[in-house]
Amino acid sequence: MTRYIRRAAALCLVLLVALMVNAVRVQVVEADRLDANPANRRTVLARYAEPRGDILVEGRPVTGSADTGQPLRYERTYTDGPLYAPVTGHASQTYGTTLVEDAEDAILSGTSPRLSALPLFAGLDPGRRPGGHVATTIRAALQRAAYEGLAGRRGAVVALDPSSGRVLALVSSPSYDPGVLSGTGGPVAAAWARLNTAPGRPMLNRALRETYPPGSTFKIVTAAAALDAGVVTNVHAPSGTPDPYRLPGTRTLLPNEAKGCDDASLAYAIRWSCNTVLARLGVEVGLSRMVRTARAFGFNDPDLRVPSRVAPSNFDTDMSPDRLALSAIGQYDTRATPLQMAMVAAAVAGGGEVAHPYLVESVTTAGGGLVGRTPRRTYAQAMTPSTARRLRELMVDVVERGSGSNAGIDGAEVGGKTGTAQHGVGNQGTPYAWFIGWARAAGAPRPAVAVAVVVEDAAARREEISGGGSAAPIARAVMEAALEADRRRGKDDGRQGLS
Amino acid sequence: MTAATTDAPPPKVRLPRRRGVEFSLLVCAVLCSMLGYAAVGLARSGAVPHDVAGYGAGLGLLALTGHLAVRFGAPYADPLFLPIAVLLNGLGLVLIYRLDLETPADQAAPTQLVWSALGVGLFAAVVVCLRDHRLLQRYAYLSVAAALLLLTVPIFFPAVNGARIWIRLGGLSFQPGEFAKILLAVFFAAYLAANRTALAHTGRTLWRVRLPAGRVLGPIVAVWLISVGVLVLERDLGTSLLFFGLFVILLYVATGRTGWIAVGLLLASVGAFAMGALEPHVHGRVEDWLHPFASIEAGQGPGQLAQSLFAFAAGGMFGTGLGLGHSTLIGFAAKSDFILATAGEELGLAGLSALFLLYALLVARGYRAGLALRDPFGRLLATGLASILALQVFVIAGGVMGLIPLTGMAMPFLAQGGSSVVTNWIMVALLIRVSDSARAPGPDDDPDDDQAADGHPAAGGPSAPRATGAPATPGVPGGVPLLPPPAREDAR
């Protein structure tokens, strides 16, 4: 009998081995797949078990976490929800994350291995680390100036530091409080439904995700292409363009809103925004050079991230000369995000080079230890430095003597370009008012800020809507805030230097 | 060894009793459980629970009761049984307490503690009062009658969660199938011990296979068929599988005929296939096992097995730590059928392996006691009890981890369930009783006892007590000897 008892015991050993092998299969081999199963609530429970890291503006958090005592424990709160919503996005337990909350989610929620003291060995430490913080490049004063300038009208403002690519302000209006989407349950669902059906589309990030016909502000791109191509060598020489200009290959006549555009020089055409001159220049430069220049500014780039995804701006790559003429003045199929037009202004201000825009200055651990810093990167050389210098003069001229006079700032050099983009069937829609520009403090070596403003539905009579009228004052407020902030910082630096 | 000394009794060897070892291990087991209890408190509320000393004292008292019973009732018993049982029971209490925290309306730990105390009380009673396990052999037919009665009674009570395996009297409910396990093991062991020669060597030969005589095989097959049939009626799949496995293993061990294994496996596969195909309850279980995520794909959320697998996966290698998992997502059976998932999630593969090894050690010690014994009844009883434990652990652990279809059963000592805890304590008491007989120098030295117990005239003289547990050589090659002299067989 001994032998058979031993065999029965051996059978039990086989069963034990089967259990152990199966345990390894479930707990090690297939663990990741099971963990990632969307029906597994553990991920989401763990995600909200700890307070989320904060998003900082100038070192101060604009977000927070509230302990609800529920299974999904910590909910997101926002100190200035509507003001910073286009930057932060929302972190909702029901509807997920957007914008910086989404792009930096691994840091904020503490899952990123970069938060570990020894990132290479992070896999050995199964615990979740406390959420890290994300410092943005946003300047509170500029953001507020832009937000208050729009005053609830539909539109967007983007301000960039032309030399580095930092996004100093990013405003979309009307905005919403992302805090109402935190958490779960009826009120959150109701808020979500309300925001999604609101006529002003408050959750649309107009600064990054909406493209508009850029109108006359695109003439800066056309002028840059013409100057770089050598089509125009003297900006003050008469161009020989008739008014109105007949689009090539058609009998369509292109008129001007401005006066005195007949045979106008490039300088005059920029100053008063002559359609005819720039449309003809676009045709003379030719499709391939126009496309190349537009690309260098950032058009047609579906991969642009700041780190949130940016909707690609469009300049058609295949069209007939008459359509090229219209595209060259920002009509036809040309569309641009406000960020894109801010990059155009920044390229002129920054000596022809486009710095890659970015919104996240650095990320830190919960304790403040630096995890990573976004480096300055060159996006592209959009034009030669000499072309940039000449365009700067032309843009200054727009503000000092032309259509952009509303943007002028005492004691500073300001360049700009207005735009009034018609759209809709038969151009019957309310026009979009554009302004792009930059400002340099007196004595400063280079412009401190580049800005793009678009106002979708200025509540004014149609003939009064114009880039100079509606958009330029907002741009001026933002640029003033930037110069003021720089002046104060310079003073602080000086004081520190003396002490 | 010279011929002259063959008949002379071998010199007495004083066997170590190892009660000190048992006591030290018990202290470790109690401390280990207290540590777990404190860990749950620290994880959940940031403080050691105020009654951790009380919990330790309670468990320690149970351990001490058991220890004293063993010290006076079975001083030569294997020192591992009791500490392992106390550790498993203590950890089970910790896990149930930890799950209680998630369901404040349903506090199971205090009840479990009461049942554990009752279990230890019965344990002590069995160890102290049952002086010789061979006494049970006389009550074989009473056992089987009681077992069948117990199994049949729940048919007349309402079903709970699809299975008619409960008897509810007043506020108490218990599972008679649990007690029937022991009774059936006793009956199988007694019957097979008495008839194993007949089973192995009589009957007609059909082609080259010798069929056992119907009058010998008939009663035991009938008992087995009735019990399994009743369990199928009650939809207690786990226990029917357990009884089947127990029957086949004991039949094989008693007769040594590999054919029984083949017949058993054949019958099992036919039965399993028929049940899986025809019976809706079983069919559902098999479907769940084959497609644990089907309900997720159907948009109905994860089923219990999927949740259990998620829990195990979440545990990974080292677990989330006691109190820090989310195994309550499993739902209503988290404290009973699925308690292993909590262990897997919060203690990880490391902790789960440790648990499996504890069970393995318990089972191995049971088999070892069987090997060391000389009377066939005791050997079969020890083998049966150890096999019950092993099969039970395999069936439930394999079920909740997706290795085999899920069958409702309780993880021995770990799971919430009064009848289960009490039964397991009695089983450990019997194993201790048996192992004490195996290692004690006393009554087995009397050849008459051997004769009475075995049903065969003992060929040899008084057997030699052995310092080592297992015999050095197996039985006679080529099958069971016609007249096995157990003492000789073991003494060689």
Side-chain angles (χ1 to χ4, degrees):
Chain A
M1 205 187 285
T2 303
R3 180 195 302 188
Y4 312 117
I5 295 179
R6 283 175 185 278
R7 283 188 188 161
L11 170 73
C12 294
L13 188 66
V14 171
L15 297 184
L16 175 73
V17 170
L19 282 185
M20 298 283 240
V21 170
N22 188 53
V24 170
R25 172 182 75 89
V26 174
Q27 300 202 271
V28 180
V29 181
E30 291 183 7
D32 289 343
R33 201 169 53 79
L34 290 165
D35 285 343
N37 191 307
N40 193 343
R41 297 241 307 147
R42 279 173 182 73
T43 323
V44 69
L45 286 170
R47 178 185 174 85
Y48 296 108
E50 296 286 332
R52 196 170 163 81
D54 281 322
I55 297 175
L56 314 177
V57 169
E58 293 187 292
R60 277 188 294 277
V62 297
T63 59
S65 280
D67 186 352
T68 62
Q70 300 294 308
L72 301 178
R73 198 165 158 190
Y74 286 94
E75 277 180 9
R76 196 58 147 170
T77 59
Y78 296 89
T79 55
D80 269 312
L83 178 60
Y84 291 109
V87 178
T88 59
H90 59 72
S92 165
Q93 297 180 347
T94 318
Y95 299 106
T97 52
T98 56
L99 299 172
V100 168
E101 294 272 31
D102 184 59
E104 297 293 346
D105 185 58
I107 293 286
L108 293 166
S109 64
T111 54
S112 171
R114 295 162 69 201
L115 292 171
S116 171
L118 299 165
L120 278 178
F121 299 98
L124 294 177
D125 170 16
R128 199 172 267 256
R129 286 157 285 274
H133 302 309
V134 173
T136 64
T137 55
I138 297 292
R139 299 268 176 75
L142 276 69
Q143 182 82 2
R144 199 165 281 284
Y147 185 73
E148 287 168 0
L150 281 168
R153 288 176 290 173
R154 289 188 205 179
V157 178
V158 175
L160 296 173
D161 176 350
S163 58
S164 66
R166 287 187 183 90
V167 180
L168 303 177
L170 190 79
V171 169
S172 172
S173 177
S175 191
Y176 71 106
D177 183 0
V180 300
L181 297 178
S182 302
T184 54
V188 171
W192 175 258
R194 178 170 50 76
L195 291 173
N196 271 302
T197 52
R201 293 199 291 163
M203 290 209 293
L204 172 67
N205 190 329
R206 293 176 163 84
L208 299 180
R209 300 282 171 84
E210 179 69 308
T211 58
Y212 299 90
S216 303
T217 54
F218 191 79
K219 287 169 185 167
I220 299 297
V221 177
T222 305
L227 287 166
D228 265 4
V231 173
V232 175
T233 46
N234 181 359
V235 298
H236 298 292
S239 64
T241 314
D243 180 12
Y245 167 64
R246 195 170 55 81
L247 297 180
T250 70
R251 280 184 288 177
T252 311
L253 291 177
L254 181 70
N256 282 309
E257 301 253 336
K259 290 185 172 60
C261 291
D262 189 22
D263 194 24
S265 67
L266 179 60
Y268 185 88
I270 294 286
R271 186 193 304 155
W272 292 109
S273 205
C274 295
N275 290 340
T276 50
V277 176
L278 273 300
R280 181 160 164 264
L281 272 183
V283 175
E284 279 182 34
V285 169
L287 181 64
S288 67
R289 288 203 70 118
M290 280 299 292
V291 168
R292 200 188 312 157
T293 304
R295 278 215 175 105
F297 276 102
F299 281 84
N300 296 346
D301 181 356
D303 300 322
L304 185 63
R305 285 170 180 278
V306 293
S308 311
R309 192 180 58 78
V310 180
S313 300
N314 181 65
F315 186 82
D316 278 358
T317 54
D318 183 20
M319 50 188 161
S320 56
D322 58 317
R323 288 173 176 174
L324 175 61
L326 286 173
S327 294
I329 56 168
Q331 306 278 350
Y332 190 57
D333 272 349
T334 307
R335 296 187 73 86
T337 58
L339 176 77
Q340 173 61 69
M341 293 320 293
M343 286 164 74
V344 170
V348 175
E353 188 199 69
V354 182
H356 199 293
Y358 63 96
L359 195 47
V360 171
E361 181 77 64
S362 61
V363 292
T364 64
T365 63
L370 188 67
V371 171
R373 188 178 281 285
T374 311
R376 183 201 187 280
R377 280 188 294 151
T378 299
Y379 180 81
Q381 186 73 33
M383 63 194 116
T384 61
S386 63
T387 297
R389 198 166 53 246
R390 275 190 280 183
L391 277 179
R392 271 215 300 268
E393 286 163 9
L394 296 184
M395 288 178 80
V396 169
D397 205 35
V398 170
V399 173
E400 289 183 350
R401 287 185 287 163
S403 60
S405 56
N406 279 342
I409 299 169
D410 286 342
E413 183 187 42
V414 178
K417 180 75 196 80
T418 59
T420 309
Q422 266 110 34
H423 73 113
V425 179
N427 290 341
Q428 289 307 300
T430 316
Y432 298 123
W434 275 97
F435 185 88
I436 66 171
W438 47 266
R440 181 171 70 92
R446 58 178 67 89
V449 61
V451 66
V453 176
V454 63
V455 183
E456 252 183 75
D457 56 345
R461 283 180 303 153
R462 189 189 151 140
E463 52 269 30
E464 288 179 3
I465 296 168
S466 68
S470 314
I474 301 173
R476 185 185 59 205
V478 173
M479 291 189 290
E480 271 177 337
L483 297 177
E484 174 68 14
D486 265 14
R487 200 171 55 80
R488 205 171 290 150
R489 186 169 302 129
K491 229 188 234 171
D492 286 351
D493 289 349
R495 216 179 291 135
Q496 275 167 7
L498 286 174
S499 63
Chain B
M1 201 180 279
T2 61
T5 59
T6 312
D7 291 333
K12 282 265 179 194
V13 179
R14 188 179 152 70
L15 267 178
R17 294 183 173 195
R18 305 235 181 257
R19 295 278 68 82
V21 171
E22 182 183 85
F23 186 79
S24 323
L25 288 175
L26 278 172
V27 170
C28 292
V30 172
L31 285 179
C32 210
S33 305
M34 286 172 71
L35 200 68
Y37 190 66
V40 171
L42 278 170
R44 296 301 299 246
S45 55
V48 175
H50 58 89
D51 57 347
V52 67
Y55 167 77
L59 196 64
L61 196 66
L62 293 186
L64 191 67
T65 309
H67 176 69
L68 291 177
V70 173
R71 190 176 275 272
F72 294 111
Y76 290 94
D78 194 311
L80 281 180
F81 287 118
L82 188 59
I84 293 176
V86 167
L87 181 56
L88 287 172
N89 201 344
L91 287 177
L93 282 167
V94 167
L95 291 176
I96 294 167
Y97 164 78
R98 175 258 171 282
L99 288 167
D100 276 349
L101 293 176
E102 312 274 354
T103 55
D106 177 24
Q107 296 291 308
T111 325
Q112 180 81 349
L113 191 60
V114 171
W115 282 108
S116 304
L118 184 65
V120 172
L122 286 171
F123 167 89
V126 169
V127 168
V128 173
C129 301
L130 182 71
R131 301 307 303 181
D132 189 340
H133 63 271
R134 284 167 293 195
L135 196 68
L136 292 174
Q137 204 171 6
R138 294 183 201 157
Y139 300 108
Y141 291 97
L142 189 62
S143 301
V144 74
L148 291 180
L149 185 70
L150 280 176
L151 283 173
T152 325
V153 167
I155 294 184
F156 306 106
F157 284 80
V160 177
N161 300 328
R164 289 180 188 279
I165 52 176
W166 302 86
I167 296 180
R168 281 180 188 280
L169 289 173
L172 282 177
S173 69
F174 79 109
Q175 240 175 313
E178 290 283 341
F179 299 105
K181 286 194 302 217
I182 303 181
L183 297 171
L184 272 184
V186 168
F187 169 71
F188 285 156
Y191 188 88
L192 290 171
N195 298 293
R196 65 196 182 102
T197 321
L199 274 171
H201 299 285
T202 64
R204 282 174 300 169
T205 305
L206 185 69
W207 192 44
R208 288 162 66 186
V209 182
R210 182 156 42 191
L211 295 174
R215 70 188 155 76
V216 188
L217 190 62
I220 192 165
V221 170
V223 165
W224 168 67
L225 273 180
I226 290 170
S227 45
V228 170
V230 165
L231 290 170
V232 169
L233 275 182
E234 294 170 357
R235 294 178 168 181
D236 189 353
L237 306 168
T239 314
S240 54
L241 193 64
L242 180 70
F243 285 177
F244 181 81
L246 174 69
F247 179 60
V248 171
I249 288 177
L250 285 187
L251 204 52
Y252 169 73
V253 170
T255 61
R257 301 256 303 252
T258 320
W260 291 120
I261 303 272
V263 172
L265 285 178
L266 192 72
L267 279 179
S269 10
V270 169
F273 186 80
M275 293 271 288
L278 301 175
E279 220 278 329
H281 185 69
V282 185
H283 183 71
R285 289 288 175 86
V286 174
E287 281 298 309
D288 283 351
W289 169 58
L290 291 175
H291 313 286
F293 304 115
S295 65
I296 297 171
E297 283 148 26
Q300 294 157 349
Q304 269 195 317
L305 182 58
Q307 288 285 20
S308 174
L309 290 175
F310 290 161
F312 281 108
M317 198 67 93
F318 299 108
T320 58
L322 275 171
L324 298 174
H326 295 289
S327 45
T328 41
L329 293 173
I330 291 167
F332 72 90
K335 295 175 198 174
S336 47
D337 296 21
F338 286 91
I339 194 150
L340 198 67
T342 303
E345 176 167 11
E346 306 199 343
L347 302 174
L349 181 63
L352 200 62
S353 305
L355 269 180
F356 285 155
L357 289 178
L358 280 179
Y359 283 116
L361 210 53
L362 201 58
V363 170
R365 288 293 167 148
Y367 280 119
R368 184 172 165 161
L371 284 169
L373 270 176
R374 275 137 287 181
D375 69 299
F377 170 68
R379 309 191 91 179
L380 287 172
L381 182 63
T383 305
L385 294 176
S387 305
I388 288 177
L389 273 173
L391 287 175
Q392 201 165 339
V393 169
F394 176 76
V395 167
I396 183 69
V400 297
M401 298 191 80
L403 182 62
I404 57 172
L406 190 64
T407 53
M409 256 197 169
M411 203 71 193
F413 290 110
L414 219 55
Q416 172 206 13
S419 346
S420 167
V421 170
V422 168
T423 310
N424 288 317
W425 273 113
I426 296 174
M427 280 172 61
V428 169
L430 290 177
L431 283 172
I432 281 186
R433 180 78 272 148
V434 169
S435 83
D436 178 59
S437 303
R439 293 161 48 96
D444 279 358
D445 289 341
D446 186 348
D448 292 338
D449 256 18
D450 253 347
Q451 203 171 346
D454 220 359
H456 301 293
S463 61
R466 281 167 293 102
T468 53
T473 54
V476 178
V480 175
L482 199 59
L483 294 174
R488 265 293 160 246
E489 184 190 342
D490 285 339
R492 244 187 289 189

